[in-house]
Amino acid sequence: MSTPATLGYRRRQLPTRSMRHGSACERGAAVPGSAAPGGPHGAVDSGRIRRMRRLMVFLLVMAVAGCGDGDATGTGATEQFTQGGVSMEPTVKAGQVVTARKVTGTYEARRGDVVLLRSPGGLWGDRKAPLLKRVVAVGGETIACCDTSGKVTVDGKPLAEPYVAEDASLDEPPNPNYCGPRRFAAVSVPADSVFVMGDSRARSNDSRCAGPVPVSSVLAVMVD
């Protein structure tokens, strides 16, 4: 296995975590039988059993519906990665090992997720090693910086970002070719895309100068 780039990760396979007790999806559920008991009340009991059977089938269908994939919240194997750069400090420090859950299906974008992504090319370059960034806006939202207090806004509302300890300079004007300034012009995030930034804004190359990332580029979501 080749050594990853400085800002990438070293993959180490981690076995999928098993649940102490099987979930409803794993265990399945028993559906009452259809045989009616004998005796003078057989017809009444048979009606009750049919109603109970319909209810149990409905509950089973609802349980199975909640077991689908398409995100990285409760499904998908986990892997460990070693952060190679400083762009996500102080949340993730250089050299820190993190656990991420692999995306199965299509990533369901959620603001605040710390995601592992592959470079989509273009202004992101042709990096081979994955990148670790935070989702700050999702498809359909408009993100900009800054408001009068220097905060990032999404759809005109300022974001509370306690995870940002080292912000970029407010003195520099926006520069679409350079991620140094904190300020950037409003960006309408396309559908099925995310706008990502590093938590260390002063030391991160991200969507401020490289643009939004397709959700198809998201490989995993950090869980630990």
Side-chain angles (χ1 to χ4, degrees):
M1 182 178 295
S2 59
T3 302
T6 303
L7 295 180
Y9 301 78
R10 291 189 294 274
R11 285 175 173 253
R12 296 188 301 192
Q13 184 68 36
L14 186 69
T16 305
R17 294 176 179 175
S18 59
M19 301 178 67
R20 182 173 298 177
H21 301 291
S23 65
C25 304
E26 294 167 328
R27 295 193 304 265
V31 179
S34 59
H41 303 293
V44 176
D45 290 342
S46 178
R48 290 175 179 170
I49 289 176
R50 283 198 298 270
R51 289 194 294 273
M52 184 180 295
R53 184 166 65 246
R54 293 192 192 101
L55 176 61
M56 291 298 294
V57 170
F58 172 77
L59 293 175
L60 177 59
V61 169
M62 293 299 292
V64 172
C67 300
D69 56 14
D71 60 39
T73 303
T75 60
T78 55
E79 290 187 39
Q80 287 187 325
F81 303 87
T82 301
Q83 168 70 317
V86 298
S87 69
M88 280 301 295
E89 292 187 353
T91 305
V92 181
K93 296 178 172 57
Q96 181 177 336
V97 176
V98 300
T99 302
R101 189 173 298 282
K102 296 171 65 177
V103 170
T104 58
T106 302
Y107 168 60
E108 182 181 336
R110 284 179 288 264
R111 193 189 309 153
D113 279 355
V114 176
V115 298
L116 190 72
L117 57 93
R118 70 170 67 86
S119 170
L123 295 175
W124 283 92
D126 57 355
R127 299 178 179 89
K128 301 303 181 185
L131 304 168
L132 191 70
K133 302 292 178 184
R134 186 182 296 273
V135 175
V136 187
V138 302
E141 295 180 329
T142 298
I143 183 170
C145 191
C146 305
D147 66 2
T148 55
S149 61
K151 293 183 178 295
V152 172
T153 64
V154 173
D155 292 340
K157 298 179 181 179
L159 287 185
E161 297 187 286
Y163 42 78
V164 177
E166 185 178 0
D167 216 333
S169 171
L170 272 172
D171 298 331
E172 297 183 65
N175 186 339
N177 300 314
Y178 169 55
C179 278
R182 187 188 313 186
R183 301 181 186 277
F184 58 90
V187 176
S188 296
V189 184
D192 298 324
S193 297
V194 288
F195 191 99
V196 297
M197 292 194 279
D199 287 356
S200 180
R201 302 283 161 80
R203 300 183 291 175
S204 175
N205 291 316
D206 47 45
S207 290
R208 288 173 293 167
C209 56
V213 177
V215 294
S216 58
S217 292
V218 176
L219 304 172
V221 178
M222 192 177 84
V223 295
D224 185 20

